[in-house]
Amino acid sequence: MARGVNKVILIGNLGQDPETRYTPNGNAVVNLNLATDESYKDRQTGQMVPRTEWHRVVLFGKVAEVAGQYLRKGSKVYIEGRLQTRKWQGQDGQDRYTTEVVVDMNGQMQMLDSRGDSGMGQGSAPAGRPQSSGYGGGQPSQGAPAQSSAPSGGYSQPSQGSMPEPVDDFDDDIPF
Amino acid sequence: MARGVNKVILIGNLGQDPETRYTPNGNAVVNLNLATDESYKDRQTGQMVPRTEWHRVVLFGKVAEVAGQYLRKGSKVYIEGRLQTRKWQGQDGQDRYTTEVVVDMNGQMQMLDSRGDSGMGQGSAPAGRPQSSGYGGGQPSQGAPAQSSAPSGGYSQPSQGSMPEPVDDFDDDIPF
Amino acid sequence: MARGVNKVILIGNLGQDPETRYTPNGNAVVNLNLATDESYKDRQTGQMVPRTEWHRVVLFGKVAEVAGQYLRKGSKVYIEGRLQTRKWQGQDGQDRYTTEVVVDMNGQMQMLDSRGDSGMGQGSAPAGRPQSSGYGGGQPSQGAPAQSSAPSGGYSQPSQGSMPEPVDDFDDDIPF
Amino acid sequence: MARGVNKVILIGNLGQDPETRYTPNGNAVVNLNLATDESYKDRQTGQMVPRTEWHRVVLFGKVAEVAGQYLRKGSKVYIEGRLQTRKWQGQDGQDRYTTEVVVDMNGQMQMLDSRGDSGMGQGSAPAGRPQSSGYGGGQPSQGAPAQSSAPSGGYSQPSQGSMPEPVDDFDDDIPF
DNA sequence: TTTT
DNA sequence: TTTT
């Protein structure tokens, strides 16, 4: 049924609140910006140097709902998914590629904070999601992680921003 | 020493021969284009649909030498590495990002073909490595890999091509 | 839904043909003895020393059927499952424990041999499994796998052998 | 250098404080009893049933020292290691097998509690840890994990207990 | 661009 | 008991 293996395992912290979107069918699609911290020994200096890597994570289905509801900026989380590279068009008409870690029903998401005291919240209401205007409004995610100029994958609401041109032509469920 | 986890596990086949480059220090750096095949059930049709995902893999150190020497187009391989996103400048001066699976001394590479009967070779001498002039000579790897407009990471030889502007400012070992 | 992670990833070769059994409900349960080979540097001698580790793998459901049908002694295989330790009673009435790698619908099995040229077959019919005398008859599997004195988990046919006392009290499906 | 893969990834909580021992060379060897919690759907009742699996984890080297110093009963931890089955002699002279997850310099251990507020410590003051009343004080971890009767692998101090007969014949470092 |  |  499958002739290959494509698996990603991450433990890190969210750089910002999750972004929740919905497919036309009402299914949640959640984007996370996840930082994994490591340190490595610089060969020149012999010093340990911290290295932070930012990952774009996209969750679908039930795990997306849980992530959207309970995770917050700063939350520590375990992610198991698969690598996927999407092609999209830049505003200049050129092809761009964004690689994401996709978590669907074959993946896994585990919250690693004790009692859901995940991040610090700082204004980002943890439940009920009141926060006025909603996601994506105003400045595009100011605590901006890598690849921030990439579109969120076409699962987005009507993109009122100029570019980089989300695909946004979903007339149905995402097909997996 | 590390406060996060960043791990990728792949099993797939090479879409082309490995590309070997060297750092100024003489260390091998090898790029692979690896295809992982899966299939998923299309929700619309109920049919199983094949899905091929292409991955950019970069190997360093000893594992790079082995990969460069024994892997060929078509080779089946197990890869364990970490995700890393590089920023580079497009010819239009805009930032681009490329995500790669980095395999260094903390990663792993396993050849999964029996007896090194990996690919077919087809002009690319699989054993003994005669091919005098070596890699990268002449045209810069015309069998362009996925995201081919991305530079190969600055580990490349003096890039005589116009763009997409390799970074190529390494005066020493890559620092990990 | 889960508050932990329990994952095993193996690539190795079968030490013998798979052992297929059936639950009262007719579901296949397959046992594998899988060898993983590594080598490590002996601190005393500085020499690389090969190390073979043997694993008991138990597959359920569809993946079990595929394994039973296509894998043979010598087959190379990728396994993704979870660790599980079973308690059983030795013939002396004492508790024993056997740890297995369980592969169910949440796990994965990938055959890594090209074209099913896996093992050698050597009399072990690949399909239909006629071989009258075969497994489980008479002496309790004399081609003894690791931890051979452990029962095969109660998924076995009526165990006529004396001991080590399989549990064998399944009146239904295994519950996962 | 290796022709197989043998990898275990666990996230769980310690059932008791770590047990630290030392090799004759003064290297730390730490044993953990780690519980991973999952839940699965019972096919009979359709109910989600919790399932706790206990794992024996053995750490060597630097990671052992960190584990021994900072982990406590209740600590949440990420473990990456390899499976290893040891043979030992029961008091009845019979062979027994214990499967452990070995974490050495090729493995990884990550503490997942915020700020080292891991467990409760119960008398074994780690460092800085005042631990007022503490969890589970009194009897040392009465919720004894699986395989508790297995010897700790010969890395133990002179075993004054009668059985199950630790091997304890190490005259040097463990060889990996 | 691979593989089955 | 496998494999290279």
Side-chain angles (χ1 to χ4, degrees):
Chain A
M1 202 163 288
R3 290 147 295 165
V5 172
N6 176 356
K7 184 169 292 291
V8 180
I9 289 173
L10 304 173
I11 295 180
N13 299 279
L14 299 205
Q16 55 192 200
D17 283 1
E19 300 168 32
T20 304
R21 293 184 174 76
Y22 294 91
T23 64
N25 278 3
N27 294 325
V29 180
V30 168
N31 284 270
L32 307 179
N33 274 295
L34 186 71
T36 55
D37 292 309
E38 305 167 83
S39 52
Y40 65 96
K41 191 183 288 184
D42 187 301
R43 288 209 199 139
Q44 308 283 90
T45 68
Q47 303 276 94
M48 291 306 288
V49 182
R51 170 170 53 199
T52 295
E53 191 67 33
W54 287 95
H55 309 271
R56 268 190 87 75
V57 179
V58 191
L59 305 103
F60 295 95
K62 193 170 187 178
V63 77
E65 289 167 23
V66 176
Q69 195 161 14
Y70 295 108
L71 295 180
R72 285 299 167 267
K73 179 178 177 178
S75 295
K76 174 165 285 193
V77 68
Y78 168 89
I79 287 291
E80 180 184 333
R82 59 184 163 82
L83 278 179
Q84 191 167 271
T85 298
R86 288 187 295 108
K87 186 204 275 193
W88 51 283
Q89 300 267 84
Q91 43 173 143
D92 52 4
Q94 299 223 333
D95 288 345
R96 307 286 164 92
Y97 298 90
T98 295
T99 300
E100 295 164 318
V101 177
V102 174
V103 183
D104 56 23
M105 48 173 298
N106 298 310
Q108 216 178 328
M109 190 276 295
Q110 298 280 327
M111 299 182 291
L112 296 176
D113 295 297
S114 13
R115 292 144 300 170
D117 64 322
S118 11
M120 42 296 222
Q122 45 135 61
S124 52
R129 335 239 65 237
Q131 55 203 168
S132 48
S133 62
Y135 290 119
Q139 299 79 285
S141 87
Q142 59 289 60
Q147 301 188 339
S148 62
S149 59
S152 295
Y155 313 113
S156 22
Q157 313 89 319
S159 125
Q160 72 282 50
S162 47
M163 74 281 265
E165 293 278 1
V167 190
D168 211 345
D169 52 0
F170 275 59
D171 46 47
D172 201 297
D173 258 359
I174 11 86
F176 40 70
Chain B
M1 200 162 291
R3 291 150 296 164
V5 171
N6 176 357
K7 185 169 289 294
V8 179
I9 289 172
L10 304 173
I11 294 180
N13 299 278
L14 299 204
Q16 57 193 200
D17 284 1
E19 300 168 32
T20 303
R21 293 182 174 77
Y22 294 91
T23 65
N25 278 4
N27 294 324
V29 180
V30 168
N31 285 270
L32 307 179
N33 274 291
L34 187 69
T36 54
D37 291 309
E38 306 166 83
S39 53
Y40 65 96
K41 190 182 290 185
D42 187 302
R43 288 210 200 137
Q44 308 283 89
T45 67
Q47 302 277 93
M48 290 307 287
V49 182
R51 168 169 57 197
T52 295
E53 191 66 34
W54 287 95
H55 309 271
R56 263 190 93 71
V57 179
V58 190
L59 303 102
F60 296 96
K62 194 170 187 179
V63 76
E65 289 167 24
V66 176
Q69 196 162 13
Y70 296 108
L71 295 180
R72 284 297 169 269
K73 179 179 176 178
S75 295
K76 174 165 286 194
V77 68
Y78 167 89
I79 287 290
E80 181 185 331
R82 61 184 162 81
L83 277 179
Q84 190 166 270
T85 298
R86 289 188 293 109
K87 185 205 275 193
W88 50 285
Q89 300 267 86
Q91 43 174 140
D92 52 4
Q94 299 223 332
D95 289 344
R96 306 286 164 93
Y97 297 90
T98 295
T99 300
E100 295 164 317
V101 177
V102 175
V103 184
D104 55 23
M105 49 173 295
N106 297 310
Q108 216 178 328
M109 189 276 296
Q110 298 281 327
M111 299 181 292
L112 296 176
D113 295 297
S114 15
R115 291 144 301 170
D117 63 321
S118 13
M120 46 293 223
Q122 44 139 57
S124 51
R129 336 238 63 238
Q131 52 198 172
S132 45
S133 63
Y135 290 118
Q139 299 79 286
S141 90
Q142 62 288 65
Q147 304 183 341
S148 62
S149 57
S152 295
Y155 313 113
S156 23
Q157 312 90 320
S159 126
Q160 71 282 48
S162 49
M163 76 282 264
E165 294 279 0
V167 190
D168 212 344
D169 53 0
F170 276 58
D171 46 47
D172 201 299
D173 258 356
I174 10 85
F176 40 69
Chain C
M1 202 161 291
R3 290 151 296 164
V5 172
N6 176 355
K7 184 168 292 292
V8 180
I9 290 173
L10 304 173
I11 295 181
N13 299 277
L14 299 205
Q16 57 192 203
D17 283 1
E19 300 169 33
T20 302
R21 293 183 174 76
Y22 294 91
T23 64
N25 278 4
N27 294 325
V29 180
V30 167
N31 285 270
L32 307 179
N33 274 292
L34 187 70
T36 55
D37 292 308
E38 304 166 85
S39 54
Y40 65 96
K41 190 182 289 184
D42 187 301
R43 287 210 201 138
Q44 308 282 91
T45 68
Q47 302 277 94
M48 291 306 288
V49 182
R51 168 171 56 199
T52 295
E53 191 67 34
W54 287 95
H55 309 271
R56 265 190 91 73
V57 179
V58 191
L59 304 102
F60 295 95
K62 193 170 187 177
V63 77
E65 288 167 24
V66 176
Q69 196 162 11
Y70 295 106
L71 296 180
R72 285 297 167 268
K73 179 179 177 178
S75 296
K76 174 164 288 195
V77 69
Y78 167 89
I79 287 290
E80 181 185 333
R82 60 183 163 82
L83 277 178
Q84 190 166 272
T85 299
R86 289 188 293 109
K87 186 204 276 193
W88 50 284
Q89 300 268 86
Q91 45 175 139
D92 53 5
Q94 299 224 333
D95 288 345
R96 306 286 164 92
Y97 297 89
T98 295
T99 300
E100 294 164 317
V101 177
V102 174
V103 184
D104 55 24
M105 48 173 296
N106 298 309
Q108 216 178 328
M109 189 277 295
Q110 298 279 328
M111 299 181 291
L112 296 176
D113 295 298
S114 15
R115 292 144 302 172
D117 63 321
S118 12
M120 45 292 224
Q122 45 136 53
S124 52
R129 334 234 64 236
Q131 53 199 170
S132 45
S133 62
Y135 288 119
Q139 297 81 285
S141 90
Q142 62 287 62
Q147 304 183 342
S148 62
S149 57
S152 294
Y155 314 112
S156 21
Q157 312 89 318
S159 127
Q160 71 282 54
S162 46
M163 75 283 262
E165 294 279 357
V167 190
D168 211 343
D169 52 359
F170 275 60
D171 46 46
D172 200 299
D173 258 357
I174 10 86
F176 40 70
Chain D
M1 201 163 289
R3 290 148 295 166
V5 172
N6 176 357
K7 184 168 292 293
V8 180
I9 289 173
L10 304 174
I11 294 181
N13 299 279
L14 299 204
Q16 56 194 202
D17 283 0
E19 299 167 33
T20 303
R21 293 182 175 75
Y22 293 91
T23 64
N25 278 4
N27 294 325
V29 180
V30 168
N31 284 271
L32 306 179
N33 274 293
L34 187 70
T36 54
D37 292 309
E38 305 167 84
S39 53
Y40 65 95
K41 190 182 289 184
D42 187 301
R43 288 211 198 137
Q44 306 285 90
T45 68
Q47 303 276 94
M48 290 306 288
V49 182
R51 167 169 57 196
T52 295
E53 191 66 34
W54 286 95
H55 309 271
R56 267 189 89 75
V57 179
V58 191
L59 304 102
F60 296 95
K62 193 170 187 178
V63 76
E65 288 167 24
V66 176
Q69 195 163 11
Y70 295 108
L71 296 179
R72 286 298 168 268
K73 177 178 177 180
S75 295
K76 174 165 286 193
V77 69
Y78 167 89
I79 287 291
E80 181 185 332
R82 61 184 162 81
L83 278 178
Q84 190 166 269
T85 298
R86 289 187 294 109
K87 186 205 273 194
W88 50 284
Q89 299 268 85
Q91 44 174 141
D92 53 4
Q94 299 223 334
D95 289 344
R96 306 286 163 94
Y97 297 89
T98 295
T99 300
E100 293 163 319
V101 176
V102 174
V103 183
D104 56 24
M105 49 172 296
N106 297 311
Q108 215 178 330
M109 189 275 297
Q110 298 279 328
M111 299 181 292
L112 296 176
D113 295 297
S114 13
R115 294 143 301 169
D117 63 319
S118 14
M120 42 302 221
Q122 47 138 45
S124 50
R129 345 222 57 244
Q131 66 199 146
S132 45
S133 62
Y135 294 117
Q139 297 79 284
S141 92
Q142 59 288 67
Q147 300 188 339
S148 62
S149 58
S152 295
Y155 313 113
S156 23
Q157 312 90 318
S159 126
Q160 71 281 52
S162 48
M163 74 284 261
E165 294 278 357
V167 189
D168 210 345
D169 53 358
F170 275 59
D171 47 46
D172 201 299
D173 259 357
I174 10 85
F176 42 69

